[in-house]
Amino acid sequence: MARQNGRLQGRVCVAAGAVGALGEGVARRFAAEGGIVVGIDRKQHAVGTLALQADLADEEQVRAAHGRINRQLKRVDVIYNNAGLVDPADHSALTSSVETWNAILAANLTTTWLSCKHGIACMLQNDPAKGSVINTASFLAGMGAASAQMAFNVAKAGVQQLSRDLGVHLARSGVRVNSLALGPIETPQLRQTFERIGPDEAARRFVHMPMGRFGTVQELAATVAYLASDDAGFVTAASFPINGGIQGAFTVAAGS
């Protein structure tokens, strides 16, 4: 990765849900922009200058993690909320179990809420109060669930609305909150999924992707870095599309 322009120089940047291709890719971009990176994940890891292990769905663990960040680094400037779960047992709301429903909402919505609750409290203690929160939602939050996974879609719609409400509520406080209407970003797991479903089904799905490809981790990380920086100083309460135009597509003509 080429050296970036230092838009986050000296800022404390928290990647919540730091383990994996997306979290680690964003953490690398934060560091390349000059940020002081803190990684939080329920798994043991080494992401960031300060690597914390915490269950992001457990309020006391989230509170303790942000308390430690504030004690050691004295501030929080950026939070990227990436924790989440996709469960093969998540199908129609008419057939999913309560256990699956609750697990999906806890992993995707409750984690984001708790990180916002305790992380933004730290941002408001900055002098002056200032910060940027980027929450991972999905383009599916604004569409019908043709492929089921309804609990996931409901959770991501909740993330989108939480971000919108917080963005408006905090608009004059110095803290900005946005969500990502995230589309398919190429990771080893996504590539394995498309290999498993076979070329015919993969081709059928790509018809609905106007750009005809997955997004890259680098494109995601660059978008997060923009929203984290002062370049996006007038952007808040927004659902930021990074999905290759899927939400705006009805169909794509063959060969176009």
Side-chain angles (χ1 to χ4, degrees):
M1 182 185 296
R3 179 68 183 172
Q4 308 304 326
N5 64 10
R7 292 178 295 183
L8 304 176
Q9 191 66 43
R11 299 186 189 183
V12 176
C13 302
V14 178
V19 173
L22 304 187
E24 292 170 22
V26 170
R28 285 194 298 272
R29 182 60 184 251
F30 284 160
E33 293 274 3
I36 301 166
V37 179
V38 178
I40 308 176
D41 202 278
R42 63 184 178 82
K43 298 178 181 177
Q44 194 168 22
H45 65 95
V47 178
T49 301
L50 178 61
L52 303 178
Q53 186 174 6
D55 180 351
L56 290 162
D58 183 302
E59 182 163 22
E60 288 312 308
Q61 293 188 43
V62 175
R63 189 197 314 273
H66 281 283
R68 182 174 172 186
I69 296 166
N70 225 21
R71 286 194 305 274
Q72 289 191 218
L73 300 176
K74 309 303 181 186
R75 59 187 298 112
V76 173
D77 298 289
V78 176
I79 301 171
Y80 167 58
N81 283 317
N82 177 58
L85 173 68
V86 176
D87 190 332
D90 177 19
H91 298 298
S92 168
L94 302 181
T95 58
S96 290
S97 69
V98 170
E99 291 76 17
T100 296
W101 183 270
N102 287 342
I104 294 291
L105 264 67
N108 290 282
L109 179 56
T110 302
T111 55
T112 302
W113 164 56
L114 290 175
S115 184
C116 287
K117 179 179 180 180
H118 296 287
I120 290 172
C122 295
M123 290 177 169
L124 292 173
Q125 294 175 33
N126 293 341
D127 186 17
K130 186 177 182 181
S132 175
V133 180
I134 303 101
N135 294 325
T136 302
S138 169
F139 76 95
L140 292 166
M143 303 178 72
S147 59
Q149 63 179 45
M150 290 187 185
F152 178 86
N153 295 354
V154 167
K156 291 303 187 181
V159 169
Q160 193 175 81
Q161 187 62 42
L162 174 67
S163 305
R164 185 179 295 117
D165 285 349
L166 285 172
V168 171
H169 180 69
L170 296 166
R172 299 193 182 190
S173 73
V175 175
R176 297 181 294 107
V177 184
N178 294 289
S179 65
L180 300 173
L182 194 63
I185 303 297
E186 184 161 8
T187 62
Q189 293 81 4
L190 183 62
R191 181 55 65 186
Q192 288 171 8
T193 297
F194 270 69
E195 289 173 353
R196 186 174 65 250
I197 64 178
D200 291 342
E201 177 62 17
R204 187 184 72 81
R205 295 191 185 190
F206 271 115
V207 165
H208 302 284
M209 300 181 190
M211 296 185 75
R213 66 173 179 86
F214 301 129
T216 68
V217 173
Q218 291 78 14
E219 288 168 332
L220 167 65
T223 302
V224 174
Y226 162 70
L227 290 171
S229 76
D230 291 342
D231 287 348
F234 202 50
V235 181
T236 196
S239 177
F240 203 89
I242 175 166
N243 51 50
I246 294 175
Q247 286 178 302
F250 176 69
T251 188
V252 178
S256 64

